[in-house]
Amino acid sequence: MSESTVLSPPQKALIKLGLTRDIDLALHLPLRYEDETRIVKLRDAREGDTAQIEATVTSCEISHRPRRQLVVTVDDGSDTCVLRFFSFYPSQQKALAVGARLRIRGELKGGFLGWQMVHPTFKPAGGALPSALTPIYSTVASLPQAYLRKAVLGALSRADLSDTLAPGASPPALWSLGQSLHFLHQPKPDVPLGSLEDRRHPAWQRLKAEELLAQQLSQLQSKRERDTLRSPKLLAQHQGLHEQLLAVLPFKLTRAQQRVSEEIARDLGRIVPMHRLLQGDVGSGKTVVAAFAAAIAIDAGWQCALMAPTEILAEQHFRKLIGWLEPLLAPRGLRVAWLTGSQKKKERTQMLGLVAGGEAALVVGTHAVIQDQVQFKKLGLAVIDEQHRFGVAQRLALRAKMTEPGQEPHLLMMSATPIPRTLAMSYYADLDVSTIDELPPGRTPVVTKLIADSRRDEVTERIRGQVAMGRQVYWVCPLIEESEALDLSNATATHEALSQALPGVMVGLLHSRMPVGEKKAVMSLFTSGQMGVLVSTTVIEVGVDVPNASLMVIEHAERFGLSQLHQLRGRVGRGAAASACVLLYSPGQSGRLGETARERLKAMAQTADGFEIARRDLEIRGPGEFLGARQSGAPLLRFADLTTDTDLLEWARKLAPMMLDRHPELSRLHMARWLGGKSEYLKA
Ligand code: ADP
Ligand code: MG
């Protein structure tokens, strides 16, 4: 390696942070600003201020109470202030010697004993004061602020910041990109802090609008690329398999199920690949809609694959679909096949044969469905349940199972986590969305209660009552093993305690580290009704369907996301029995549950509407929860906030098609500027 290629630690840090191009640095905006333009007098300061003072050291000594620390007293002529350092070097101690005159900066705390600062920064007094606010960037230890600041300013002067918006795009903010970036990186002396931090300022508006536009362009472009691919035309036959399926179902479809089935059937009948997300709250009946789509594909002479994230879920689908479809398929010499990782070799070989030969009209399974050895004869439709649990690569692998070049199977993705509208419009802009907004009739609403962990015994009594009535109970724990750091009770301990407290009741345990065979055995005891109580970690989160379960207890509910709690709660209230969900919470160390945590849990008790809950989750936790694996590695929005910037999103959404149609070169430049090489991730 030649010497010139050896990178310094700050250079390495820049690469690690993805700040490689000038434009990347220019778009790395300050986290906040510090006001180093003024020296304040202690007399005029207020509690909590981050203040800069100039003062003389009047005493400097090491104290050992309550722990070893350097205690320095300074006087600025108006008042005194005590500086405390819990770690310090001899050189610092020297610089803080009695008589030294220093410029000191830190957060002021009051109290009975006068002003204090803990670990303030300091340097010799005097020297010029900066004329403008100082930007502070997000960085890492090996990349000092001063180095980064210089790198940013250099990049800002070199980067091409010319306008990439189409002429006449009428941006929502009149400021240009260059103006906005210079304003935020290099505040002018007279610019007040408020306007730099105000995200409604034209500079911020411009950046957010541009960012959203890049995202919309990239998604629209990948949608258009996909539209050039071809899929088989799967036309629903009159009196075909899907109508026969309707006749054998033990229930009538809800209006919402009918509507989404029609939307899907319409897509299947076209030669462009379907790319549709079917969303519907837990228990809304998505499986049967998938079965309809499968029936249409099979009728047209093609195979359908259904992939689920866990074996338990895949098996449940398998049973249901076999029950519904196999009697209809058998007369045609067709079957439903089953593929999982835990399968015996012999069975697997047999299944692979059925898939390759085309006899398996429907193939249900886990990730095993996308493995190399699996070869379909004619894959026409791929269904992915709980799509957010799969990664980009897995989705691409399933789509690649189509044998003819340039062809793709139709793709139906299902999710029980409803995606708020703004997210659907941004991250999922390349998807068509169908929504089941109605539950099947006869469901009883689940009553949700917030109960302190100290009242566990009462909850156990309640379980006893439910089991005595022949009902079943889920008990969900957030962790499998004891963790020293977090005092969370674990599934194993809870399982033991409940087994002791409930003699004569079969209490089972299910957690993600158990071997698959054991998991299945436990699950089948619960499904068949022999097991009264099932203690588990979140493995039951997705899709499990036991209508006789009427009570769910969630331990340490404060550790879960709202949407996750809602999913869990959806496991009860599936039958006619009155059902309840108990959210057990542990008051925090300070003796009470944090205010926001309580508010969150209260929201759970107040609403059963998955969309409303998802909206609140988005507000509280940001979009990461919803995107899951879909966006791993892809840029999340840095500047725009989907809960407040809906008008900017609308603007970007309208502009994107026009830009791609009439200004392909500007579109390309814009995407390259904002997304760099990352836009590939958005395509799957
Ligand atoms: P999810 O949307 O959560 O995947 P499922 O497909 O598992 O929901 O359906 C939940 C339960 O509701 C299943 O037992 C299913 O058979 C039943 N179901 C589905 N549609 C209807 C309907 N229209 N009427 C009555 N029960 C239905
Ligand atoms: Mg489901």
Side-chain angles (χ1 to χ4, degrees):
M1 200 187 267
S2 76
E3 224 169 320
S4 61
T5 61
V6 176
L7 297 176
S8 67
Q11 284 168 326
K12 279 190 203 148
L14 283 176
I15 293 172
K16 215 165 152 201
L17 290 173
L19 303 174
T20 46
R21 307 173 302 166
D22 284 338
I23 189 67
D24 297 328
L25 279 159
L27 294 176
H28 189 65
L29 290 184
L31 275 183
R32 57 192 172 81
Y33 302 85
E34 279 185 355
D35 187 356
E36 296 175 334
T37 62
R38 291 177 305 141
I39 305 286
V40 298
K41 284 288 177 200
L42 284 167
R43 183 195 330 115
D44 304 326
R46 280 172 319 184
E47 166 81 23
D49 277 357
T50 296
Q52 179 167 259
I53 58 171
E54 284 196 348
T56 308
V57 177
T58 56
S59 81
C60 174
E61 58 202 26
I62 292 174
S63 155
H64 288 275
R65 268 166 306 160
R67 51 188 262 225
R68 187 172 184 275
Q69 53 183 288
L70 184 65
V71 183
V72 178
T73 309
V74 298
D75 187 335
D76 80 342
S78 74
D79 203 346
T80 61
C81 180
V82 173
L83 318 179
R84 289 182 195 279
F85 300 86
F86 294 102
S87 62
F88 52 93
Y89 298 109
S91 61
Q92 287 173 310
Q93 195 180 345
K94 217 166 131 198
L96 291 161
V98 173
R101 247 192 96 61
L102 301 171
R103 183 176 294 171
I104 302 154
R105 195 183 156 71
E107 192 181 338
L108 276 173
K109 290 284 177 202
F112 296 115
L113 303 173
W115 293 120
Q116 296 206 17
M117 285 186 190
V118 175
H119 280 250
T121 58
F122 61 89
K123 57 185 174 194
L129 286 169
S131 58
L133 296 170
T134 312
I136 306 294
Y137 295 95
S138 122
T139 186
V140 291
S142 56
L143 180 60
Q145 283 293 335
Y147 186 102
L148 181 54
R149 210 172 285 148
K150 230 174 107 191
V152 167
L153 290 185
L156 196 56
S157 65
R158 288 187 305 267
D160 170 18
L161 301 176
S162 58
D163 207 335
T164 45
L165 300 191
S170 55
L174 293 175
W175 284 39
S176 73
L177 178 65
Q179 230 177 338
S180 306
L181 291 176
H182 281 286
F183 176 79
L184 293 170
H185 283 296
Q186 290 182 291
K188 293 257 158 40
D190 54 343
V191 171
L193 189 59
S195 67
L196 290 168
E197 286 174 348
D198 177 6
R199 296 272 170 138
R200 286 159 309 173
H201 187 279
W204 276 113
Q205 292 286 309
R206 174 61 184 233
L207 289 169
K208 296 199 274 194
E210 290 223 354
E211 177 180 45
L212 288 165
L213 178 62
Q215 188 200 38
Q216 292 293 312
L217 283 172
S218 148
Q219 301 233 337
L220 187 60
Q221 173 164 290
S222 60
K223 184 171 163 60
R224 288 185 175 185
E225 279 168 16
R226 209 172 40 237
D227 285 349
T228 65
L229 296 170
R230 289 292 164 259
S231 286
K233 206 169 163 136
L234 307 174
L235 284 174
Q237 309 290 316
H238 180 55
Q239 293 190 331
L241 197 54
H242 70 288
E243 287 182 13
Q244 296 171 22
L245 173 60
L246 198 58
V248 302
L249 285 179
F251 48 74
K252 255 184 69 189
L253 291 192
T254 62
R255 247 171 321 177
Q257 283 171 319
Q258 279 171 26
R259 175 174 42 76
V260 300
S261 298
E262 279 160 25
E263 286 165 2
I264 292 166
R266 216 172 301 139
D267 283 1
L268 292 176
R270 300 172 61 217
I271 53 166
V272 283
M274 170 168 75
H275 199 67
R276 190 171 280 279
L277 176 69
L278 172 59
Q279 59 176 12
D281 216 339
V282 273
S284 62
K286 295 183 289 295
T287 318
V288 67
V289 174
F292 265 95
I296 292 172
I298 293 166
D299 232 5
W302 292 76
Q303 289 171 294
C304 171
L306 195 158
M307 183 162 76
T310 64
E311 292 233 348
I312 287 178
L313 195 55
E315 183 171 319
Q316 189 178 286
H317 281 317
F318 183 65
R319 281 178 206 284
K320 211 163 246 175
L321 294 168
I322 280 199
W324 288 336
L325 283 172
E326 202 141 81
L328 304 176
L329 293 177
R332 306 174 181 219
L334 296 173
R335 293 194 47 183
V336 182
W338 162 243
L339 281 173
T340 68
S342 68
Q343 219 158 18
K344 294 256 157 49
K345 180 116 194 283
K346 194 170 153 220
E347 191 191 26
R348 185 173 167 76
T349 314
Q350 187 209 351
M351 290 295 168
L352 287 176
L354 292 176
V355 178
E359 237 181 299
L362 176 62
V363 183
V364 181
T366 56
H367 298 77
V369 171
I370 51 173
Q371 272 155 13
D372 285 347
Q373 309 97 303
V374 186
Q375 277 182 345
F376 289 85
K377 183 153 186 249
K378 282 180 86 177
L379 180 62
L381 169 66
V383 182
I384 302 181
D385 196 16
E386 306 292 341
Q387 64 92 22
H388 58 283
R389 306 257 309 230
F390 289 98
V392 171
Q394 292 160 330
R395 252 190 310 260
L396 287 174
L398 189 53
R399 280 162 57 187
K401 287 287 175 198
M402 186 92 179
T403 33
E404 280 95 307
Q407 291 234 338
E408 280 224 330
H410 293 284
L411 181 61
L412 178 64
M413 294 174 264
M414 305 203 284
S415 172
T417 305
I419 299 166
R421 205 177 83 86
T422 46
L423 268 189
M425 281 167 57
S426 52
Y427 290 102
Y428 290 86
D430 62 332
L431 282 187
D432 297 309
V433 180
S434 290
T435 306
I436 306 184
D437 52 6
E438 170 185 19
L439 292 180
R443 300 271 164 88
T444 43
V446 179
V447 177
T448 301
K449 288 221 166 87
L450 220 63
I451 297 183
D453 195 49
S454 51
R455 291 169 58 196
R456 248 169 200 264
D457 290 351
E458 293 167 46
V459 176
T460 310
E461 277 317 301
R462 186 131 171 211
I463 293 177
R464 199 194 306 279
Q466 289 293 307
V467 175
M469 290 192 307
R471 302 273 169 226
Q472 289 166 278
V473 178
Y474 292 107
W475 184 298
V476 182
C477 309
L479 270 190
I480 321 170
E481 280 167 7
E482 206 96 59
S483 146
E484 284 169 3
L486 303 167
D487 183 24
L488 292 175
S489 52
N490 61 63
T492 321
T494 302
H495 173 245
E496 256 167 47
L498 283 177
S499 305
Q500 274 181 17
L502 300 167
V505 177
M506 192 195 288
V507 182
L509 175 64
L510 190 69
H511 62 72
S512 49
R513 300 207 189 153
M514 271 159 67
V516 171
E518 250 176 73
K519 275 190 204 169
K520 281 190 188 160
V522 170
M523 214 45 227
S524 79
L525 282 171
F526 192 68
T527 316
S528 67
Q530 296 172 68
M531 183 179 282
V533 181
L534 178 62
V535 178
S536 94
T537 57
T538 52
V539 282
I540 58 158
E541 179 186 341
V542 286
V544 180
D545 191 26
V546 180
N548 191 45
S550 59
L551 174 61
M552 163 155 306
V553 181
I554 304 176
E555 201 172 322
H556 282 291
E558 73 278 3
R559 306 253 169 206
F560 292 86
L562 289 187
S563 292
Q564 213 181 357
L565 288 174
H566 183 62
Q567 298 278 306
L568 287 168
R569 176 170 66 179
R571 302 296 126 222
V572 291
R574 306 204 133 207
S579 299
C581 174
V582 171
L583 303 177
L584 276 184
Y585 68 89
S586 308
Q589 283 180 333
S590 59
R592 43 190 290 244
L593 188 62
E595 230 7 80
T596 46
R598 191 201 298 274
E599 281 307 309
R600 284 179 51 221
L601 292 183
K602 262 203 216 146
M604 284 304 299
Q606 281 160 2
T607 176
D609 176 349
F611 276 93
E612 173 61 17
I613 287 168
R615 201 185 55 71
R616 292 200 196 180
D617 230 12
L618 178 65
E619 254 171 43
I620 300 167
R621 292 158 66 110
E625 293 291 303
F626 299 92
L627 301 172
R630 174 174 168 86
Q631 297 294 327
S632 54
L636 292 179
L637 291 171
R638 287 187 279 168
F639 307 137
D641 175 349
L642 292 176
T643 53
T644 53
D645 296 324
T646 31
D647 50 338
L648 298 180
L649 180 58
E650 293 281 4
W651 168 82
R653 217 159 93 96
K654 281 210 193 88
L655 183 58
M658 187 279 255
M659 287 266 301
L660 278 185
D661 287 340
R662 291 196 231 149
H663 304 279
E665 184 53 19
L666 284 177
S667 302
R668 195 190 59 73
L669 281 173
H670 189 82
M671 281 186 274
R673 175 179 283 174
W674 279 90
L675 303 172
K678 295 177 195 145
S679 55
E680 280 302 307
Y681 285 102
L682 295 164
K683 290 187 183 164

